[in-house]
Amino acid sequence: MNLESLANREVLTQPFYEPGKPIEQVARELGLDPEAIIKLASNENPFGPSPKALAAARKALEHGELYPDGGCFELRQRLAAARALAPDQFVIGNGSNEIIELLGHAFLGRGDEVVMGAPAFVVYKLVTLLFGARAVEIPLREWRHDLPRIAAAVTPRTKLVYVCSPNNPTGTSNTEAELLEFARAMPDHVVTVFDEAYADFLEPAPDLRPLVAEGRKVVGLRTFSKIYGLASLRIGYGYASREMCALLNRVRQPFNVNAIAQAAAVAALEDHAFAAECARQNRAGLAQLERGCRDLGLEFVPSVANFMLVRVGDGMRVFEALQRRGIIVRPVKSYGLPEWIRITVGSGEQNARLLKEIGPLTSVGQRPRGP
Ligand SMILES: Cc1ncc(COP(=O)(O)O)c(C=O)c1O
């Protein structure tokens, strides 16, 4: 009997997720010096981890022989203080990605529906399909989540609704008033998930905690991968009602988050200066990329996150050409945007290098249709 015939149907039909390639892999494949490669592909922090987090992580490593605190006690205390919620209103995940999977475990089965924007973060769809549920994708409107159409797509079979703001891959956001109104109008059988992975770059970020206080079935997702520069450690969290967090905690692995990541996250939360400086640098970087694209005659989607969509003509070709020049960006063909690439905001120097290299690749004759 062949192995595949034993596997779950959803495993065999699961679409393949292609993450941004690591620098070392690109260096190996193209014979480049890894030191000379810059990665502007996965919305990581160009300034590295918070230095306080790095020190805490090193210290935690000294007790690498011990299992971590499976309940993430200290981190939940700190989050509670920072976000004015109770410690048991948090669920900590191996990246916020894991919480998306926990939501699948807790709520999804065959025949259920999950409503989401398109294009939006692809993991919502992957997890939906893995649990045998149906992904109902609602096209963005003027690059933003079309909240009225998403609401209209909810049926008695809908279990989860995902709203990603700021959205990946577009970098666009919905306002606090829009998000609150949307969640308040959701029927009682639906769990609304707000993915706020890039909210730390907004000033101010929408405050969705009133929805939790009102007892609504909402989950907010946050991550330490972006502004705190801890993507490698894999740590993120959800905040919600106590009942919701208890449910999500039931379906996670006992030691899902390692001790190094927990210690780093605790220290990162206290490093306000680092986060503020990264947000400032990111705003400057966005402005630099916008100016550069205008000068080159390239259309872009104005972004409030730490990345930007740029229309380059043939996205795959420009992605490959940049990669050969030691710059890794993200093609977004799989998001239905073959003419575009997604560029993570780098340091000023990295942005300047990208703009210099991208110019000739998109110049006369290859220039995409203008805005
Ligand atoms: C919108 C969005 N949500 C969630 C994540 C996952 O982040 P994490 O590293 O916390 O798993 C990402 C990662 O890029 C993202 O873009």
Side-chain angles (χ1 to χ4, degrees):
M1 184 176 277
N2 89 17
L3 198 55
E4 287 201 349
S5 68
L6 299 173
N8 288 339
R9 181 170 81 207
E10 290 78 13
V11 172
L12 301 178
T13 53
Q14 176 74 184
F16 183 66
Y17 173 64
E18 202 168 339
K21 281 186 192 174
I23 287 177
E24 292 68 23
Q25 186 181 345
V26 173
R28 265 195 318 273
E29 288 175 0
L30 299 178
L32 300 173
D33 170 10
E35 293 296 317
I37 295 178
I38 55 174
K39 186 172 175 220
L40 303 175
S42 302
N43 308 337
E44 293 143 335
N45 190 328
F47 305 104
S50 140
K52 288 189 178 167
L54 199 55
R58 285 204 175 102
K59 191 152 182 293
L61 200 51
E62 287 169 15
H63 280 292
E65 79 283 9
L66 300 176
Y67 281 102
D69 171 5
C72 300
F73 178 84
E74 183 66 19
L75 178 57
R76 286 187 300 103
Q77 298 291 321
R78 301 294 182 101
L79 283 170
R83 307 232 40 214
L85 290 165
D88 51 3
Q89 290 187 291
F90 294 92
V91 51
I92 317 295
N94 197 267
S96 53
N97 251 306
E98 191 193 14
I99 318 263
I100 299 170
E101 195 178 333
L102 298 184
L103 285 159
H105 279 293
F107 294 108
L108 299 182
R110 286 189 182 151
D112 291 334
E113 292 175 356
V114 181
V115 187
M116 60 194 78
F121 187 46
V122 70
V123 173
Y124 316 141
K125 184 172 174 179
L126 298 184
V127 170
T128 298
L129 298 177
L130 194 58
F131 285 93
R134 193 164 82 84
V136 180
E137 296 181 278
I138 306 300
L140 303 185
R141 183 155 186 251
E142 291 168 1
W143 297 107
R144 298 191 321 137
H145 273 61
D146 188 345
L147 297 177
R149 275 200 62 204
I150 291 179
V154 168
T155 72
R157 296 188 149 200
T158 306
K159 285 286 192 69
L160 300 176
V161 172
Y162 276 97
V163 176
C164 187
S165 181
N167 185 39
N168 179 6
T170 55
T172 49
S173 64
N174 294 82
T175 66
E176 178 179 288
E178 288 170 344
L179 297 172
L180 292 174
E181 185 190 340
F182 173 81
R184 287 177 177 139
M186 273 296 121
D188 195 42
H189 67 280
V190 172
V191 173
T192 308
V193 187
F194 291 108
D195 188 341
E196 303 179 288
Y198 301 98
D200 295 309
F201 294 101
L202 295 173
E203 287 200 358
D207 184 0
L208 304 178
R209 289 169 300 176
L211 298 169
V212 178
E214 290 162 19
R216 295 186 191 280
K217 297 186 179 74
V218 296
V219 181
L221 300 181
R222 294 278 183 128
T223 181
F224 287 94
S225 299
K226 309 298 174 182
I227 208 156
Y228 296 111
L230 301 179
S232 166
L233 297 185
R234 312 303 303 124
I235 183 159
Y237 67 93
Y239 62 92
S241 66
R242 290 183 170 86
E243 196 185 359
M244 176 73 75
C245 290
L247 210 58
L248 295 175
N249 271 314
R250 282 167 81 143
V251 293
R252 67 170 174 80
Q253 292 293 312
F255 300 112
N256 61 328
V257 182
N258 72 74
I260 325 297
Q262 290 184 41
V266 165
L269 263 188
E270 307 284 298
D271 201 348
H272 303 294
F274 178 80
E277 177 58 14
C278 290
R280 194 189 67 74
Q281 294 269 5
N282 186 65
R283 277 193 300 278
L286 280 173
Q288 181 186 6
L289 289 177
E290 288 189 2
R291 265 194 320 274
C293 286
R294 273 197 203 97
D295 289 348
L296 293 167
L298 293 175
E299 185 184 355
F300 59 89
V301 179
S303 167
V304 292
N306 68 339
F307 54 87
M308 202 169 96
L309 270 186
V310 180
R311 192 176 194 171
V312 292
D314 183 341
M316 267 329 267
R317 186 187 61 77
V318 172
F319 156 72
E320 279 162 10
L322 282 172
Q323 201 163 250
R324 283 193 297 274
R325 289 160 176 76
I327 303 176
I328 317 174
V329 297
R330 191 63 170 262
V332 279
K333 192 174 172 196
S334 61
Y335 280 98
L337 299 168
E339 296 185 356
W340 301 74
I341 55 172
R342 194 191 66 195
I343 301 168
T344 299
V345 178
S347 64
E349 200 180 313
Q350 293 174 337
N351 299 332
R353 182 171 152 201
L354 171 103
L355 289 166
K356 185 161 161 260
E357 295 287 0
I358 208 173
L361 297 174
T362 53
S363 62
V364 194
Q366 298 167 347
R367 190 166 283 183
R369 267 182 293 131

